[in-house]
Amino acid sequence: MQFRLSPKPFRSTRRLAGWTAFLSLALAFVAWQLVSQFSGLPAFILPSPGQVAARFWKALVDGSLLLHTAFTLLEILIGLLVGTMMAVVIGYTIAKSRLFESMVAPFLVASQAIPIVAIAPLLVIWFGPGLFSKVLICALIVFFPVLVNTVVGVRAVPRSLHDLMRSLRATRAQVLGRLDLPAALPILLGGLRIGATLSVIGAVVGELVGADKGLGFLVNAARGQYDTALVFVVVFTLILLALALYGAVALLEKKSLSWQESHE
């Protein structure tokens, strides 16, 4: 006889978590409204939620918010793709070659000791304030977490499975495509979740240093005009972008690893 747990407790727990999150957000907005209303702070210091909503609608109607969001999203997507591809290739090589790891490890560690904010101005000076420098900054900030998870995931593959593939006379391409990548995929996608959210930071840092388009440029423009409500609008837009990218990676993970659930 087989016993299966009912999915109802899990659904109720998930529903409770959703309502808790909604309630906490509602309380945060109420507190924000009360502080802005009774603290006596001027609007250029702390605008009310209503003022931020009105500024959001204005920026949406005149098209400026969509234009700058689209440009930042383009930088993020290209940087995320380039950084992930580089990280997977180099990470797989490191996982398979101790000699290569000893050669590149000092440079990788040194690159993470330097804050991206410190080298972003140099990259903008060297490559200009256009798209390429922003994509490069995004790729650099995405690179390391995906690289580490790739190395960990590939090295976590049991040696017995490699022995089995060798006994079947599998080629290196077959071992890569049918064993290493599928086995390392859960850990790799975990790194991609982190990289997807960090890519938003990379794009904005590059735009804050120097740009004529993008949400970072919009923050600089709003700050110069003491348009604090627009700064809030941009911040919330960036939060939504990060959540959307994180959700997209989570959905990709669910689709890619559906075979695991079928075998459990």
Side-chain angles (χ1 to χ4, degrees):
M1 178 180 293
Q2 294 182 348
F3 296 93
R4 292 189 178 182
L5 294 176
S6 173
K8 290 183 179 180
F10 298 100
R11 292 176 183 174
S12 60
T13 303
R14 187 179 301 176
R15 189 177 303 169
L16 179 61
W19 279 108
T20 303
F22 176 79
L23 182 60
S24 63
L25 287 175
L27 291 175
F29 275 98
V30 170
W32 176 13
Q33 176 64 39
L34 293 175
V35 172
S36 63
Q37 184 174 355
F38 297 106
S39 64
L41 294 173
F44 70 89
I45 298 295
L46 182 64
S48 67
Q51 291 171 325
V52 173
R55 191 64 183 88
F56 170 80
W57 180 252
K58 181 181 178 182
L60 191 64
V61 170
D62 63 23
S64 60
L65 183 61
L66 292 177
L67 173 66
H68 293 293
T69 301
F71 191 76
T72 300
L73 183 60
L74 177 64
E75 297 169 350
I76 291 171
L77 293 178
I78 298 177
L80 185 60
L81 177 63
V82 173
T84 300
M85 291 177 61
M86 291 174 55
V88 170
V89 172
I90 297 177
Y92 184 80
T93 308
I94 289 175
K96 292 297 182 179
S97 173
R98 295 288 180 179
L99 176 61
F100 183 72
E101 179 184 13
S102 62
M103 291 172 57
V104 301
F107 298 100
L108 295 175
V109 174
S111 68
Q112 295 307 302
I114 305 173
I116 194 68
V117 179
I119 62 173
L122 287 175
L123 296 177
V124 173
I125 292 172
W126 290 342
F127 301 105
L131 179 66
F132 182 77
S133 59
K134 313 305 182 301
V135 169
L136 184 58
I137 294 171
C138 283
L140 288 175
I141 203 170
V142 167
F143 176 80
F144 195 72
V146 179
L147 171 80
V148 171
N149 280 46
T150 301
V151 174
V152 172
V154 173
R155 287 183 174 171
V157 180
R159 185 177 296 274
S160 59
L161 294 180
H162 283 284
D163 294 338
L164 176 62
M165 295 295 284
R166 277 195 294 269
S167 68
L168 297 174
R169 297 183 180 180
T171 63
R172 288 189 177 182
Q174 290 173 330
V175 173
L176 171 64
R178 299 185 181 183
L179 176 59
D180 287 336
L181 285 184
L185 197 57
I187 301 177
L188 192 156
L189 288 174
L192 188 57
R193 285 195 189 194
I194 301 172
T197 54
L198 290 178
S199 63
V200 178
I201 299 175
V204 174
V205 166
E207 291 170 352
L208 287 173
V209 172
D212 56 359
K213 289 188 290 289
L215 293 175
F217 166 79
L218 201 59
V219 167
N220 275 335
R223 182 183 59 184
Q225 299 170 3
Y226 288 94
D227 191 354
T228 311
L230 182 57
V231 176
F232 273 82
V233 170
V234 175
V235 168
F236 287 135
T237 304
L238 291 171
I239 292 173
L240 291 176
L241 280 179
L243 290 174
L245 290 170
Y246 186 89
V249 176
L251 182 61
L252 174 64
E253 184 177 2
K254 183 178 180 180
K255 296 293 184 182
S256 303
L257 303 179
S258 58
W259 58 271
Q260 286 187 335
E261 298 179 359
S262 62
H263 285 283
E264 290 179 354

